Amino acid sequence: MTDDLYADVLDEQLTRPDGRTVAWTRTGTGTPVLRLPGTPGSRWSIRADRALWNDRGLEVITTERPGFGDSSRLPGRKYKEHSDDLAAILDHLGLDRVYLTGGSGGGPHVLAFAAHHPDRVIAATIAVGFPPLNDDEYDQMIPFNTKAFRAARDGDEATLRELLGGAYEVVKTAPLAPLDAAMATAPASDLAVMSDPAWRAGQEHATVAAFAQGMDGWYDEMLAMGGEWTDIDLAAITTSITWWHGPTDRNCPYAAAERLVNKLPTATLRTLGAGHFEPFMREGDILDELLSRKS
């Protein structure tokens, strides 16, 4: 990974009233798009090739949640805390309203921001977002997710820490090895994306950055995602949302995503052709659809 690959990216941060640091990256100029990465992700969860962003004239702001990268940990957090962090970032940058997008573990955070700060969002997109699960849907995921989210749901903190800790120890010396192992039974379309050298270069850089403080941010996030989403009021969401999801996704079950979208009167479900990483290949289409919605 060379410095030249990120020469166009600004690495920025601010201090919140409680003393926490909140960090993000920013690249490009033009229409502002706020990006919320998946889990575990960081402010460096950005495309190694940013041509499709530049071609569309976008200023892309990629955030990271508490405990990841340079952003201070906030034990016991749910969703509202980070939605307020995002509003503070927009205030800092002098941005009133933005397009909003998030994938995988960023999905519920998109919903939280739309619920708590609806006046800051022009339109939103969620790609393969993580939804609340019914009991019979845990086994539809890759084995690592099945075990981790069951532990988070049950409040089994010891099992969750042991599982995440084992992966983190491997990440220290081989950043993508746990992901490769966890995704071994994923759809062929996911494995094809994961074999792309540019994707792997960007993912490795983002993963190393995500765990700069250790694994506690990941642990906090899994507890929030697997527990009750008590501070996301779906009825408060008036933002136009398009939710993209693949029927063979083994990270976030399609049926659960469909059920959640049906609870959102302003949301539309668009079916992808395959698994969890297809949005990487379809990002141009996904962005064009997002940018076509104005309010």
Side-chain angles (χ1 to χ4, degrees):
M1 185 63 58
T2 65
D3 292 339
D4 290 345
L5 188 59
Y6 296 101
D8 62 314
V9 181
L10 300 174
D11 189 5
E12 301 176 327
Q13 59 182 235
L14 61 79
T15 302
R16 299 287 282 132
D18 60 2
R20 288 185 299 114
T21 296
V22 177
W24 66 91
T25 57
R26 186 160 54 100
T27 183
T29 58
T31 303
V33 176
L34 185 66
R35 292 179 69 250
L36 313 187
T39 307
S42 71
R43 68 197 187 282
W44 294 104
S45 296
I46 60 179
R47 297 186 74 95
D49 177 5
R50 291 175 286 285
L52 65 82
W53 297 349
N54 296 332
D55 291 347
R56 288 163 175 78
L58 304 181
E59 178 185 24
V60 178
I61 303 144
T62 302
T63 61
E64 63 189 11
R65 294 182 285 278
F68 293 108
D70 281 353
S71 297
S72 304
R73 186 188 178 199
L74 186 59
R77 70 172 177 87
K78 293 293 187 179
Y79 292 99
K80 185 180 186 301
E81 299 95 336
H82 186 58
S83 69
D84 292 344
D85 291 342
L86 297 176
I89 291 172
L90 298 187
D91 290 343
H92 180 84
L93 297 176
L95 297 171
D96 291 329
R97 299 174 76 228
V98 295
Y99 286 97
L100 175 66
T101 182
S104 194
H109 294 87
V110 168
L111 297 177
F113 189 65
H116 291 290
H117 298 279
D119 57 324
R120 311 303 296 265
V121 184
I122 301 169
T125 285
I126 294 173
V128 298
F130 183 81
L133 304 178
N134 286 341
D135 286 346
D136 62 343
E137 290 166 339
Y138 286 86
D139 287 331
Q140 297 176 23
M141 296 189 289
I142 58 175
F144 184 91
N145 280 12
T146 297
K147 295 173 184 176
F149 281 111
R150 275 197 173 130
R153 176 200 63 186
D154 297 339
D156 185 353
E157 299 184 11
T159 296
L160 182 61
R161 272 205 173 274
E162 181 180 3
L163 185 65
L164 301 185
Y168 171 63
E169 288 303 314
V170 178
V171 163
K172 290 179 181 179
T173 56
L176 296 188
L179 179 64
D180 289 339
M183 295 292 286
T185 61
S189 61
D190 287 343
L191 300 180
V193 170
M194 293 172 63
S195 68
D196 179 83
W199 184 90
R200 293 187 71 81
Q203 187 71 21
E204 180 168 335
H205 187 69
T207 300
V208 171
F211 290 112
Q213 300 178 57
M215 58 158 276
D216 285 340
W218 191 18
Y219 169 79
D220 296 337
E221 179 133 306
M222 294 295 287
L223 284 177
M225 290 170 62
E228 297 292 331
W229 296 5
T230 54
D231 61 348
I232 302 179
D233 181 3
L234 298 181
I237 297 175
T238 58
T239 299
S240 166
I241 298 173
T242 297
W243 188 304
W244 299 76
H245 218 98
T248 60
D249 192 321
R250 294 201 61 222
N251 291 61
C252 303
Y254 181 87
E258 184 177 37
R259 185 172 59 252
L260 179 55
V261 171
N262 287 338
K263 296 178 180 178
L264 299 167
T266 60
T268 300
L269 180 64
R270 292 207 173 193
T271 302
L272 295 168
H276 196 65
F277 288 146
E278 186 179 351
F280 176 78
M281 307 302 294
R282 295 282 305 278
E283 188 171 359
D285 296 335
I286 291 170
L287 280 173
D288 289 342
E289 191 280 333
L290 171 63
L291 297 170
S292 73
R293 286 181 278 134
K294 298 178 174 63
S295 60

